[in-house]
Each structure stands twice: as structure tokens, then as C-alpha cells.
Amino acid sequence: MTPSFVPEKFEHVMGCTSADLLSWLPGALPKAALTVDADHTNCTAILPDGILKIRWSPLPDARIALLTIPRLGVFFEYTGLTDERRHTVQKRFDLGTQRGGG
């Protein structure tokens, strides 16, 4: 769930692989021009009213009994967006990268 206040810079852990995240980015940021670096560890999303830079790096897998969940440390940096707009963009990002469930 997206908090009501999204700071300009923050980090959180996502349960996915780099390939998963890359495949979700166009749907998670539909109105952004996306540029991904050659190493596939950074993305710049140019929005009409600002910029979102995303960096990620693999973390050790989470293990629960026989279940293994890949994890990424993901750092978000917003520039030029208002508090309300950051919340709107992050909420869309969170919905676009959410896995199914019930």
C-alpha cells in the first residue's frame, strides 16, 4: 500500500527479479519516457512534470521453508514533482508492479 506521503527519495525492498521489474516498468509508468542503462540497474522516467530515477540491486533471496522469493533493493528519487503528484505516480507504480493475489 502506498503511504499518503511519498518523500522525494526513499528505498524499499521488492520481491522480484531485475527482469520482472524491467518488464513491469512500461505498465507501471505509462505516461513516462523510459530510459534504462546498459547494465539494466537504473531507469530514468521522464514525466510531463518531473523526473523519477530508479536504481536497483539484487538482495539475498528470502526463504520461508521451501519457498524462495527473489528480492531487489529499489531506490526511488523524484525531482520536480509536487507531494500530490509523487503520491499519484508512486501509487500507479505500486499497482503496476503488484503481483496477483487474493
Side-chain angles (χ1 to χ4, degrees):
M1 175 170 206
T2 305
S4 58
F5 175 73
V6 175
E8 291 180 354
K9 297 178 183 181
F10 66 96
E11 184 172 6
H12 73 242
V13 175
M14 295 181 67
C16 63
T17 65
S18 291
D20 292 333
L21 182 58
L22 286 167
S23 70
W24 297 335
L25 286 175
L29 298 166
K31 296 183 180 179
L34 301 175
T35 304
V36 178
D37 75 343
D39 294 333
H40 294 109
T41 58
N42 294 281
C43 175
T44 300
I46 300 174
L47 302 158
D49 51 349
I51 296 172
L52 168 59
K53 292 185 179 182
I54 305 170
R55 292 190 321 263
W56 58 90
S57 59
L59 297 173
D61 291 346
R63 296 186 188 278
I64 303 169
L66 297 176
L67 177 66
T68 301
I69 302 169
R71 298 184 316 146
L72 292 178
V74 184
F75 180 78
F76 296 83
E77 182 177 353
Y78 285 93
T79 304
L81 280 78
T82 64
D83 291 352
E84 182 178 328
R85 184 73 171 113
R86 285 193 310 269
H87 179 264
T88 301
V89 172
Q90 190 64 41
K91 185 174 180 178
R92 177 68 190 107
F93 179 90
D94 291 346
L95 287 172
T97 59
Q98 185 177 20
R99 292 189 181 229

